[in-house]
């Protein structure tokens, strides 16, 4: 079957598998905050001394709404919100620390949003200093943050560098002025060049650019021009994401309609041309949506089998416990997930009252844990082993039946020992993992819950 036919066949709504089970299939009805904290204590006990823990801090504020965005944001120009929010994050951190018997070993910090650089440099210094009080820093620790090229100053870069940050991710998306206008995301080449150059001069060792294909008014010529500009700036990593059109979830996307989007055939072309250009520029593909230059640690992790995937995407760091702080942040103890409340007001009230601001969660069953490992291995390693010496898992056995069609189409190779993704199948990782998604197949959605796979 040709690539065009495969693409058309498998262009269905599919999860991105930053977790398993995926959030729409969490068993929230039986979730218990006390059991969640118990799983956090167990994860900390099992992993803190060996690998440390990760922190994700969600900073939701933006001065303007990027209409393509699917993140949880709060739009405001009132910077008086910064200090109360930081106080709430530090309160939440102390609530989690009450579950730890020993000082936490911090392996990873990531500031996401929203727009972390909405906060001034002094307040970011206060936030990070507060998080790092009476903790140990792992010898292989990595700190990173997301930034908007239009508002990131040299003070932001210097303050965070002095606190240990070495990785920077810039949201570019597209340089075409027409696309930037309709998605309300404005940054010039000069601003991107300035921030990139300043970061390298200060000493940042890894710079990532986020790019998106399938945006409204995006053309093949515009994408090629964006790629050519990016190749000249030579970021160490590139995340090349598919635009997810979900206006029923994110009303801001109603600024444009489906008629403004590239049709499915053009979107596939944008993806293929983008991947080809990145390969020509020397970037190597990693898992799904990610590319890096030779020598980058993410690429080395992919080659050594140490690549990991969590709610933040791909990382070379793997800690059992990820604590998410801030509005809508998600935590992961391996045994369970928990998501915080989604409004700033409720978050401030709960943390101010000394309560964990958890809104919902899921505690994994034995089958969940087995399927989670297989899906994670497929997403990160392109293969998985069935571990036949363990007790048979019904979810795996059912999945093997569903996977047969993908083997017939040349996307995977199945054996008694395991599954291997073929070179063609690398484009269809979401579809492959979906065949092992027992919870999805047990309760197929009647409405579209996920973005399209291509």
């Amino acid at each position: 079957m040709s690539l065009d036919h495969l693409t058309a066949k498998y262009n269905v709504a599919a999860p991105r598998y930053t977790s398993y089970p995926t959030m729409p299939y969490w068993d929230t009805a039986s979730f218990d905050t006390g059991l969640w904290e118990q799983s956090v204590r167990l994860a900390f006990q099992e992993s803190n001394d060996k690998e440390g823990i990760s922190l994700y801090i969600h900073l939701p504020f933006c001065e303007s709404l990027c209409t393509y965005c699917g993140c949880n944001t709060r739009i405001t120009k009132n910077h008086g919100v910064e200090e109360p929010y930081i106080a709430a994050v530090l309160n939440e951190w102390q609530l989690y620390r009450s579950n730890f018997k020993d000082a936490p070993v911090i392996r990873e910090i990531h500031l996401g949003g929203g727009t972390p650089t909405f906060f001034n440099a002094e307040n970011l210094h206060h936030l990070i200093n507060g998080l790092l009080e009476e903790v140990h820093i792992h010898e292989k620790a990595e700190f990173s943050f997301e930034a908007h090229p239009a508002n990131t100053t040299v003070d932001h870069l210097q303050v965070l560098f002095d606190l240990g940050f070495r990785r920077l991710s810039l949201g570019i998306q597209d340089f075409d002025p027409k696309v930037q206008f309709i998605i309300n995301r404005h940054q010039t080449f000069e601003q991107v060049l300035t921030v990139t150059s300043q970061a390298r001069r200060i000493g940042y060792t890894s710079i990532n650019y986020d790019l998106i294909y399938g945006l409204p008014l995006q053309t093949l010529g515009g994408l090629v021009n964006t790629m050519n500009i990016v190749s000249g700036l030579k970021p160490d990593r590139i995340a090349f994401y598919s635009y997810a059109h979900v206006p029923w979830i994110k009303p801001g996307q109603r600024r444009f309609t489906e008629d403004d989007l590239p049709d499915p055939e053009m979107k596939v072309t944008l993806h293929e041309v983008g991947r080809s250009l990145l390969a020509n520029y020397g970037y190597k593909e990693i898992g799904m949506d990610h590319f890096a230059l030779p020598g980058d640690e993410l690429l080395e992790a992919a080659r050594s089998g140490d690549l990991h995937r969590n709610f933040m995407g791909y990382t070379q760091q793997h800690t059992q416990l990820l604590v998410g702080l801030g509005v809508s942040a998600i935590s992961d103890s391996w045994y369970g997930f928990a998501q915080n409340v989604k409004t700033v007001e409720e978050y401030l009230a709960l943390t101010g009252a000394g309560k964990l601001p958890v809104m919902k969660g899921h505690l994994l069953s034995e089958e969940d844990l087995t399927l989670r490992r297989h899906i994670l291995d497929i997403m990160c390693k392109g293969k998985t082993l069935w571990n036949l010496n363990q007790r048979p898992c019904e979810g795996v056995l059912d999945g093997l039946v569903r996977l047969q069609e993908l083997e017939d189409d040349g996307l995977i190779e199945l054996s008694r020992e395991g599954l291997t993704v073929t070179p063609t199948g690398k484009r269809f990782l979401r579809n492959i993992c979906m065949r092992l998604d027992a919870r999805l197949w047990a309760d197929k959605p009647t409405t579209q819950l996920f973005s399209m796979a291509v």
Side-chain angles (χ1 to χ4, degrees):
M1 188 179 293
S2 70
L3 180 59
D4 287 345
H5 282 92
L6 287 171
T7 300
K9 177 177 180 178
Y10 289 105
N11 188 22
V12 298
R16 291 182 179 272
Y17 290 108
T18 52
S19 74
Y20 182 81
T22 58
M23 194 179 296
Y25 290 96
W26 286 4
D27 182 5
T28 57
S30 63
F31 180 76
D32 178 86
T33 304
L35 292 176
W36 160 247
E37 289 191 78
Q38 183 177 318
S39 79
V40 168
R41 289 191 290 271
L42 178 59
F44 183 85
Q45 179 182 332
E46 291 177 341
S47 63
N48 185 58
D49 288 342
K50 294 182 294 185
E51 61 191 26
I53 71 172
S54 297
L55 296 180
Y56 170 76
I57 300 93
H58 190 75
L59 303 174
F61 302 107
C62 300
E63 288 198 345
S64 61
L65 175 66
C66 300
T67 54
Y68 69 89
C69 181
C71 299
N72 184 287
T73 60
R74 171 63 63 89
I75 308 304
T76 181
K77 294 185 182 295
N78 173 23
H79 287 263
V81 299
E82 295 183 32
E83 292 183 16
Y85 188 81
I86 288 173
V89 169
L90 295 178
N91 284 341
E92 186 187 4
W93 176 226
Q94 291 306 313
L95 291 170
Y96 270 104
R97 289 198 59 167
S98 67
N99 288 287
F100 305 156
K101 287 186 176 180
D102 305 309
V105 178
I106 305 300
R107 178 72 174 262
E108 185 178 24
I109 293 178
H110 183 74
L111 304 181
T115 307
T117 45
F118 171 96
F119 289 72
N120 67 46
E122 182 180 351
N123 281 334
L124 289 176
H125 184 275
H126 175 55
L127 170 64
I128 302 303
N129 261 352
L131 295 173
L132 297 182
E133 280 184 8
E134 299 180 358
V135 307
H136 301 300
I137 307 297
H138 195 281
E139 62 181 0
K140 295 182 179 179
E142 292 184 346
F143 297 172
S144 58
F145 70 101
E146 300 167 11
H148 194 317
N151 70 3
T152 302
T153 67
V154 69
D155 287 342
H156 285 120
L157 297 170
Q158 189 65 58
V159 163
L160 290 172
F161 181 86
D162 292 342
L163 289 165
F165 285 75
R166 296 295 181 269
R167 298 192 180 279
L168 165 67
S169 181
L170 295 173
I172 309 299
Q173 321 321 343
D174 194 302
F175 276 111
D176 188 326
K178 296 190 301 296
V179 176
Q180 289 192 4
F181 174 77
I182 199 168
I183 66 174
N184 199 36
R185 174 77 178 199
H186 304 282
Q187 66 269 320
T188 65
F189 165 76
E190 289 74 20
Q191 288 170 324
V192 176
L193 172 63
T194 296
V195 174
T196 301
S197 301
Q198 288 173 336
R200 285 177 169 149
R201 188 160 52 248
I202 288 170
Y204 283 81
T205 55
S206 179
I207 296 174
N208 172 79
Y209 287 179
D210 284 349
L211 305 175
I212 297 179
Y213 66 94
L215 288 167
L217 304 187
Q218 193 174 50
T219 64
L220 184 58
L223 178 72
V224 170
N225 184 58
T226 291
M227 288 292 186
N228 287 335
I229 293 172
V230 167
S231 71
L233 295 168
K234 220 162 186 66
D236 305 276
R237 299 177 185 177
I238 292 173
F240 187 44
Y241 293 118
S242 168
Y243 167 66
H245 191 57
V246 287
W248 58 92
I249 299 174
K250 291 297 176 182
Q253 295 181 352
R254 293 198 174 104
R255 180 176 181 181
F256 40 86
T257 71
E258 284 80 357
D259 291 339
D260 296 311
L261 301 176
D263 63 35
E265 293 77 14
M266 176 53 69
K267 189 174 182 183
V268 171
T269 299
L270 290 169
H271 183 217
E272 292 301 319
V273 169
R275 291 174 72 250
S276 178
L277 287 172
L278 289 172
N280 290 342
Y281 299 146
Y283 289 88
K284 306 299 181 183
E285 192 165 8
I286 300 168
M288 182 181 78
D289 305 329
H290 287 62
F291 300 79
L293 292 173
D296 186 271
E297 291 181 349
L298 196 68
L299 182 59
E300 296 303 317
R303 289 173 171 171
S304 66
D306 295 324
L307 190 67
H308 182 55
R309 185 169 174 82
N310 57 27
F311 291 104
M312 295 176 283
Y314 284 109
T315 174
Q316 67 270 26
Q317 300 281 22
H318 184 187
T319 63
Q320 180 176 336
L321 180 58
L322 164 64
V323 176
L325 304 173
V327 170
S328 76
I330 302 173
S331 298
D332 178 1
S333 67
W334 184 255
Y335 305 112
F337 307 116
Q339 184 179 30
N340 283 349
V341 295
K342 292 189 175 183
T343 68
V344 172
E345 292 77 13
E346 192 174 4
Y347 178 74
L348 295 177
L350 287 170
T351 54
K355 298 178 181 178
L356 274 183
V358 170
M359 174 184 71
K360 64 180 180 180
H362 176 87
L363 300 173
L364 279 73
S365 67
E366 184 177 343
E367 179 177 270
D368 288 339
L369 288 166
T370 297
L371 294 174
R372 181 183 190 185
R373 183 184 63 77
H374 288 308
I375 287 173
L376 189 62
D377 282 348
I378 292 168
M379 293 296 291
C380 295
K381 301 176 183 179
K383 60 183 179 181
T384 191
L385 299 175
W386 304 130
N387 290 339
L388 299 177
N389 59 323
Q390 295 182 355
R391 187 169 68 181
C393 172
E394 185 176 342
V396 172
L397 296 176
D398 291 342
L400 283 169
V401 176
R402 295 189 290 266
L403 285 164
Q404 187 60 57
E405 180 184 13
L406 278 67
E407 183 177 45
D408 295 341
D409 286 341
L411 307 187
I412 58 172
E413 294 175 356
L414 291 172
S415 69
R416 187 174 183 275
E417 289 74 28
L419 174 156
T420 301
V421 179
T422 66
T424 299
K426 288 180 180 180
R427 292 173 170 82
F428 304 98
L429 288 178
R430 294 163 70 181
N431 305 88
I432 296 168
C433 292
M434 192 163 63
R435 299 299 173 106
L436 286 170
D437 190 335
R439 288 184 178 268
L440 183 149
W441 288 90
D443 183 16
K444 292 183 182 179
T446 56
T447 59
Q448 187 174 335
L449 299 178
F450 308 106
S451 62
M452 303 302 284
V454 180

